[in-house]
Amino acid sequence: MPKEPETSLAEKTFVLEALKQNLRVDGRELHAFRDVQLIFGDDYGFVDVRLGKTRVLARISAEVTKPRSDRPFEGLFTISTELGPMASPAFEVGRPSELDHTISRILERSIRRSHALDAESLCIVTAQRVWSIRADVHFLSHDGSLLDASCIAVITALAHFRLPVVTVSGEDITIHDVEERVPVPLSILHWPICVTFSFFGDDENGETMYLLDATAQEEALRAGDMTITVNKNGEICQIAKSGGVAVEAEILMRCARLAAEKVKVIDKMIGDALREDELRRNKGNLDWLKEGRAENDR
C-alpha cells in the first residue's frame, strides 16, 4: 500500500521544539483553527468545505422508500465516506483505511446517533413511505483535520438541503416539482460539530501540550488524539479517544470547554454562510420564500 512521505528527523525535531515554545510552523496559535471556507453548489445540499489546504465535498440526496419494520414512523439517514488517492497517495480505491473507518464511525455517532436530524419529520405515510436521506462525503485534499472538516461539511449540507413538497391523497403520493411548490428545509434539531485535539506530550513546564486543527505533518508526529463533538448549547454529543497518550480528567475538562467555545464560532460562521447563499439565490429578497412556505403550510 502506498504511504505518505515520512517526516525527517530534522523536521520532527524542529516541529516538536517549536511546539514547546508555543509556536507552530504555519504561525498559528496552538488553539487556533485555520480559515474555513464554505462554497455552495448550484443545487441545494452541495457544499465544498476548505479548511486550510484540506478540502472536503458533501452532497445530500433524498429518495422515497419503505421504513424499517421496527421504526415505522421514522425516515432513514445514512452517511457514506470515500477516501481515495485524490486526497492522498496513502489511500486506495476499494480498500478503506483505518482512518476511513474512524471518520465514518465518529460521524455516525456525532450526527445520526445524536439525533441531529429529526427522523420522524421524514415520514410520509406511516409504515409505508418515508424519505431516505443520504450524505456522501468525498475528500479531495488531505492536510489534516479530515474529521472536523467532514463534520462541518455534512452539517452544512444538511442545513442547506431542501426537500420537495409531498402531498398524499388516499394511496396516491405526489412529489411536487421545485418550480411547482417551494421545497422545504430539513428539520434539524441541533448542529453537532467535531473538534479534534492532538497531544504531543509535556512541554518545558511539564504541562500537556495539545493543539487544534492539526495539519497532516502535525498529525504524523502527535502522540495521541481525541475528538469531542459539541453543539452551540455546550451539549457534548460524543467523545472519541482511542490509544495514544493518556488524558487526565483536568485536561479533558479544559478541552471540552475550549471545544464549546470554538463550536459557537463555527456555528455562527455556518449560519452566516447559509443566509448569504439564500440571499444570493434570491437576489437579496426573501419575501417570495416566506410566501412560498406559507402557501405550502396551507
Side-chain angles (χ1 to χ4, degrees):
M1 176 182 290
K3 295 183 179 180
E4 291 277 8
E6 294 186 4
T7 304
S8 67
L9 180 59
E11 288 177 310
K12 179 178 180 180
T13 302
F14 177 79
V15 172
L16 295 180
E17 287 299 321
L19 289 177
K20 289 182 180 180
Q21 301 177 38
N22 294 325
L23 298 172
R24 298 175 74 170
V25 175
D26 57 10
R28 283 183 292 151
E29 297 181 355
L30 297 187
H31 302 154
F33 269 88
R34 288 169 288 183
D35 292 335
V36 181
Q37 287 184 291
L38 299 178
I39 303 172
F40 299 97
D42 294 333
D43 298 330
Y44 280 111
F46 180 85
V47 181
D48 180 352
V49 175
R50 303 183 186 187
L51 180 59
K53 294 181 180 179
T54 294
R55 186 179 178 188
V56 179
L57 297 181
R59 179 186 293 275
I60 306 298
S61 57
E63 64 176 353
V64 177
T65 185
K66 291 184 178 180
R68 293 170 50 184
S69 58
D70 58 334
R71 296 182 180 275
F73 299 96
E74 297 182 0
L76 307 178
F77 175 47
T78 57
I79 302 174
S80 174
T81 60
E82 180 185 348
L83 269 173
M86 181 176 291
S88 167
F91 307 132
E92 294 184 77
V93 177
R95 296 185 62 180
S97 63
E98 183 179 347
L99 178 59
D100 199 354
H101 290 302
T102 299
I103 292 175
S104 179
R105 183 177 67 253
I106 296 180
L107 286 179
E108 171 84 4
R109 291 167 54 186
S110 300
I111 301 175
R112 196 181 72 83
R113 294 189 184 180
S114 71
H115 302 290
L117 179 61
D118 183 9
E120 292 188 1
S121 68
L122 302 175
C123 182
I124 299 173
V125 179
T126 302
Q128 295 184 32
R129 287 290 183 270
V130 297
W131 282 108
S132 175
I133 305 298
R134 177 186 173 97
D136 289 292
V137 183
H138 302 277
F139 301 91
L140 301 186
S141 179
H142 172 29
D143 188 30
S145 295
L146 288 179
L147 176 57
D148 295 359
S150 59
C151 186
I152 293 174
V154 173
I155 288 299
T156 306
L158 285 172
H160 187 251
F161 185 67
R162 297 293 184 270
L163 268 180
V165 175
V166 177
T167 55
V168 180
S169 178
E171 297 183 354
D172 296 329
I173 298 176
T174 303
I175 301 178
H176 296 277
D177 188 82
V178 175
E179 297 179 356
E180 181 182 357
R181 300 286 292 273
V182 178
V184 295
L186 296 171
S187 177
I188 303 177
L189 304 180
H190 66 117
W191 292 355
I193 302 296
C194 292
V195 179
T196 300
F197 295 84
S198 297
F199 299 95
F200 292 84
D202 297 335
D203 60 14
E204 297 174 346
N205 300 320
E207 295 286 335
T208 301
M209 295 186 298
Y210 57 93
L211 52 84
L212 291 175
D213 185 21
T215 62
Q217 183 186 53
E218 291 168 338
E219 287 183 348
L221 300 177
R222 66 189 179 189
D225 64 280
M226 176 177 65
T227 299
I228 301 178
T229 306
V230 196
N231 59 28
K232 70 175 182 180
N233 300 319
E235 299 169 332
I236 296 178
C237 303
Q238 72 88 38
I239 298 178
K241 173 72 173 70
S242 58
V245 296
V247 177
E248 297 181 0
E250 182 181 354
I251 299 299
L252 175 60
M253 294 303 296
R254 289 183 192 173
C255 291
R257 286 192 291 268
L258 180 57
E261 294 175 4
K262 297 298 181 181
V263 166
K264 289 181 180 178
V265 176
I266 295 173
D267 186 281
K268 183 179 183 302
M269 180 268 299
I270 294 174
D272 291 343
L274 290 168
R275 281 189 290 272
E276 290 177 6
D277 180 73
E278 199 66 56
L279 289 170
R280 177 184 62 82
R281 290 174 182 274
N282 304 304
K283 299 180 181 179
N285 182 11
L286 296 182
D287 292 338
W288 72 273
L289 184 59
K290 297 177 181 178
E291 293 173 359
R293 287 176 180 169
E295 182 181 349
N296 289 341
D297 293 338
R298 290 195 295 269

